[in-house]
Amino acid sequence: MTRSTPTPHRQRPCLLQVLGITPYQVAWERQRSLVEQRIQDPSLDDILLLLEHPPVYTLGTGADVKFLKFDPVTAPWEVHRIERGGEVTYHCPGQLVGYPILNLRYYQPDLHWYLRQLEEVIIQVLKNYQLPGKRREGFTGVWVDGYKVAAIGIKVKRWITMHGFSLNVCPDLTGFQAIIPCGIPDKPVGSLAQFIPHLQLEEIRQKIAEEFAQVFQVKLIENN
C-alpha cells in the first residue's frame, strides 16, 4: 500500500486525546458516548484516543471461549465481551491502544479499506525503526519476524468507528499465556521491545499520532 501525501485542503480535523492508563470500562463507555454523539450530529470532529489499559481480557462479539485457558465466570482477571469483531485478546500497561472515532463517510465507507489503513499506520511506525512490519493473508494485524505485535478489532455503527488497534510496545506479555490470542495457536505474540531494547511507549505514541495523521490525511489537534 502506497502512502499518499495529504494536501492541506483535504485534511479533516481530528482531535487527539491522550488518556494514559484508563480502566477498560471507562474507555468503553467513553467510546460509545462519542459514537452516539456523532450519530446524532455527523458534523462533529473525529477523535483519536490513545491510552493504556490495566490488565484486562476482551472477547469480540462472536469470540469462542475455547480460546480462554480459564473459566471466565470465576476468573481472577477482568474479562469483557464487547461489540468488536475478532477473538480474545489481552491489554495491559506497556501496550499502546488506539481508538479512532471516525466517520467513514468522510473517508471511504469500506470496512476492508479501514482495516488496511489501521495496519498501514502500524507498518509506517515500524519503518521508523527499520522493522519490517508485515500483513498475513487471511488475518488482521501486523507481524514482525513471525511475532504478532499489533492486533486490530473494530466496530462500525452507521459508518462511525469504535474500538481499534493495540500495539505491544514494552508490555509484560505473560498475560497472553492464559489465552490463545486472536484464536491463532501457531503464531506467537511479541513486542517491539524484543527488537528495540529500552523503547519507551511515549516515543511510539508520538510516532503513532504522526503516522495516523499521514495515513488518514487528517490534521490532529491535541484536545486533552
Side-chain angles (χ1 to χ4, degrees):
M1 182 179 291
T2 302
R3 182 179 60 173
S4 60
T5 301
T7 53
H9 71 277
R10 291 180 59 195
Q11 285 188 312
R12 177 171 166 77
C14 180
L15 307 180
L16 173 63
Q17 297 185 355
V18 178
L19 303 181
I21 297 179
T22 306
Y24 192 85
Q25 188 73 35
V26 172
W28 189 13
E29 291 173 358
R30 184 167 189 159
Q31 289 184 78
R32 286 185 288 186
S33 175
L34 292 170
V35 168
E36 289 304 318
Q37 290 171 19
R38 280 148 184 79
I39 288 173
Q40 296 299 317
D41 183 358
S43 70
L44 292 175
D45 288 336
D46 296 328
I47 295 181
L48 172 62
L49 305 177
L50 293 180
L51 50 91
E52 299 168 78
H53 286 306
V56 59
Y57 293 95
T58 69
L59 298 94
T61 303
D64 196 324
V65 293
K66 72 180 182 182
F67 297 125
L68 301 177
K69 299 178 182 179
F70 57 85
D71 183 345
V73 176
T74 59
W77 306 289
E78 191 174 342
V79 181
H80 295 282
R81 185 177 288 275
I82 58 176
E83 64 270 74
R84 65 163 171 78
E87 294 290 341
V88 60
T89 194
Y90 175 66
H91 301 298
C92 65
Q95 179 194 78
L96 181 62
V97 178
Y99 295 137
I101 312 296
L102 307 183
N103 186 337
L104 291 183
R105 290 188 182 91
Y106 293 106
Y107 302 87
Q108 287 193 39
D110 181 326
L111 300 189
H112 294 289
W113 173 87
Y114 179 57
L115 290 169
R116 302 294 81 78
Q117 294 295 95
L118 292 179
E119 291 170 342
E120 187 67 14
V121 171
I122 305 297
I123 290 169
Q124 292 299 328
V125 168
L126 298 183
K127 281 185 179 180
N128 285 272
Y129 301 93
Q130 289 74 54
L131 290 178
K134 302 291 184 182
R135 297 180 176 88
R136 284 183 177 270
E137 186 70 28
F139 297 99
T140 300
V142 178
W143 281 259
V144 175
D145 289 351
Y147 290 90
K148 189 173 187 179
V149 297
I152 296 172
I154 65 168
K155 165 70 176 178
V156 178
K157 183 177 181 180
R158 299 189 191 178
W159 295 114
I160 311 294
T161 68
M162 63 181 293
H163 299 295
F165 61 86
S166 58
L167 175 60
N168 294 331
V169 181
C170 51
D172 178 353
L173 294 175
T174 56
F176 283 98
Q177 296 174 7
I179 61 174
I180 299 176
C182 303
I184 310 173
D186 60 342
K187 293 178 174 58
V189 171
S191 71
L192 302 190
Q194 291 176 227
F195 307 96
I196 310 169
H198 313 300
L199 184 63
Q200 298 299 308
L201 188 137
E202 171 61 28
E203 179 181 341
I204 292 296
R205 186 164 55 216
Q206 293 174 357
K207 296 294 184 186
I208 284 284
E210 293 169 3
E211 298 299 346
F212 184 90
Q214 290 287 333
V215 169
F216 282 95
Q217 300 188 350
V218 297
K219 179 178 182 179
L220 283 181
I221 302 166
E222 292 194 24
N223 183 244
N224 296 320

